[in-house]
């Protein structure tokens, strides 16, 4: 595990590099998650270097004292930019909240990018009121809501579901609520035309949290944006169907960088 110091805090990240010639891809996890959600993507490191970070307050990274909403999103964007710059990553791949972070970096920061992979995310990420209420008052109930069928998973092995629940509990209620409330405030629908790099919108076919239509919207409004569907998966397609997810991502990277 590596660390980069920025804005008075340390952000942790993991690098996997088995000599791939393609662009370095920096993976950004979603709400209540950590870099561990991207473990299966390390298999791609013979094609291109893989970097997965912990956002502030998650995993092994220091936390940051900011409220949910734009300030938290800015702090998370700082984390992603710091790690991308430290590792020469030129492709951001974000899931859910991580996709919002990637989009925010693309429209608000001057980080040099070759591509964006937007996985299980959207230009607007409204969070249903029952989940918002549960996050504020009953964290166990919130975790159960997220693990109902076709939310985080469609048909994952039970051990994956238990690991996901445990990871969210380890992240804790306060940070997880901050994440989801930040998602709820997020809206860049009127700024997608500013994105000038090739993009991939990739979604699990059963994803009820960020449905296929969210990704159609991204593909329609971002120039040079492809869309891919991962069959048999829901929101965490990179965990539930890693072979198909990795193939979609590797294909995208090979198209934007023939050496990949």
């Amino acid at each position: 595990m590596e660390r980069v110091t920025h804005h008075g805090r340390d952000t942790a990240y993991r690098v996997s590099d088995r000599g791939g010639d393609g662009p370095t891809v920096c993976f950004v996890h979603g709400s209540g998650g950590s870099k561990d959600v991207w473990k299966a993507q390390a298999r791609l490191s013979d094609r291109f270097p893989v970097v997965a970070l912990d956002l502030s307050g998650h995993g092994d990274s220091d936390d940051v004292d900011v409220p949910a909403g734009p300030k938290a999103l800015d702090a998370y964007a700082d984390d992603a930019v710091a790690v991308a710059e430290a590792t020469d990553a030129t492709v951001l791949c974000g899931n859910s909240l991580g996709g919002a972070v990637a989009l925010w970096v693309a429209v608000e920061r001057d980080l040099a990018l070759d591509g964006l992979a937007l996985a299980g995310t959207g230009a607007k990420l409204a969070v249903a009121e029952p989940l918002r209420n549960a996050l504020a008052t009953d964290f166990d109930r919130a975790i159960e809501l997220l693990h109902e069928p076709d939310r985080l998973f469609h048909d994952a092995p039970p051990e994956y579901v238990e690991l996901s629940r445990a990871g969210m509990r380890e992240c804790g209620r306060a940070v997880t609520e901050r994440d989801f409330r930040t998602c709820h405030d997020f809206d860049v629908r009127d700024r997608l035309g500013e994105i000038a790099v090739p993009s991939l919108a990739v979604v699990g076919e059963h994803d009820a949290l960020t449905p296929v239509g969210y990704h159609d919207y991204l593909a329609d409004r971002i120039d040079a944006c492809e869309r891919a569907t991962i069959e048999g998966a829901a929101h965490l397609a990179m965990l539930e169907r890693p072979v198909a997810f990795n193939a979609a991502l590797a294909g995208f990277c090979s198209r934007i960088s023939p050496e990949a």
Side-chain angles (χ1 to χ4, degrees):
M1 186 183 68
E2 308 289 339
R3 292 182 177 274
V4 59
T5 301
H6 65 99
H7 299 86
R9 63 186 184 274
D10 282 359
T11 294
Y13 61 95
R14 181 184 294 117
V15 177
S16 181
D17 184 356
R18 293 184 290 174
D21 294 329
T24 300
V25 179
C26 179
F27 291 93
V28 190
H29 63 78
S31 298
S34 76
K35 60 183 176 297
D36 290 343
V37 77
W38 302 108
K39 281 185 176 179
Q41 282 59 62
R43 303 171 192 169
L44 292 166
S45 61
D46 59 344
R47 303 281 298 277
F48 43 81
V50 168
V51 179
L53 68 105
D54 287 330
L55 294 171
S56 290
H58 304 72
D60 296 303
S61 289
D62 294 343
D63 203 356
V64 60
D65 185 15
V66 294
K71 290 187 178 179
L73 184 63
D74 272 332
Y76 294 158
D78 289 339
D79 298 335
V81 169
V83 171
E85 289 180 340
T87 59
D88 296 322
T90 59
V91 176
L92 293 182
C93 177
N95 169 248
S96 200
L97 169 67
V101 172
L103 285 165
W104 195 242
V105 169
V107 300
E108 277 290 316
R109 305 301 171 86
D110 59 2
L111 180 69
L113 290 172
D114 292 324
L116 291 176
L118 306 168
T121 192
K124 179 175 172 61
L125 293 172
V127 177
E129 186 175 3
L131 178 56
R132 299 201 315 272
N133 290 341
L135 284 163
T137 62
D138 187 347
F139 191 39
D140 286 339
R141 173 60 179 158
I143 291 172
E144 291 311 307
L145 284 172
L146 287 164
H147 289 86
E148 288 184 351
D150 291 343
R151 293 187 177 178
L152 293 182
F153 298 105
H154 172 61
D155 188 27
E159 59 268 27
Y160 280 35
V161 178
E162 280 311 307
L163 284 170
S164 176
R165 288 191 177 106
M168 199 163 285
R169 291 190 186 98
E170 183 176 351
C171 186
R173 189 203 65 79
V175 171
T176 303
E177 182 183 16
R178 181 177 73 195
D179 290 349
F180 277 101
R181 291 193 176 276
T182 298
C183 285
H184 189 65
D185 288 347
F186 178 73
D187 187 352
V188 293
R189 289 175 295 177
D190 61 346
R191 301 193 64 183
L192 296 180
E194 300 174 33
I195 297 173
V197 296
S199 302
L200 171 69
V202 56
V203 56
E205 67 168 326
H206 301 287
D207 188 348
L209 293 177
T210 54
V212 170
Y214 283 28
H215 301 77
D216 290 336
Y217 188 94
L218 292 169
D220 287 345
R221 287 162 176 79
I222 298 175
D223 288 342
C225 183
E226 309 172 28
R227 193 177 71 69
T229 300
I230 306 302
E231 296 182 0
H235 194 59
L236 299 181
M238 64 286 196
L239 269 177
E240 194 168 20
R241 295 291 183 268
V243 173
F245 184 94
N246 287 358
L249 181 60
F252 171 68
C253 288
S254 69
R255 289 188 288 278
I256 63 174
S257 177
E259 294 81 11

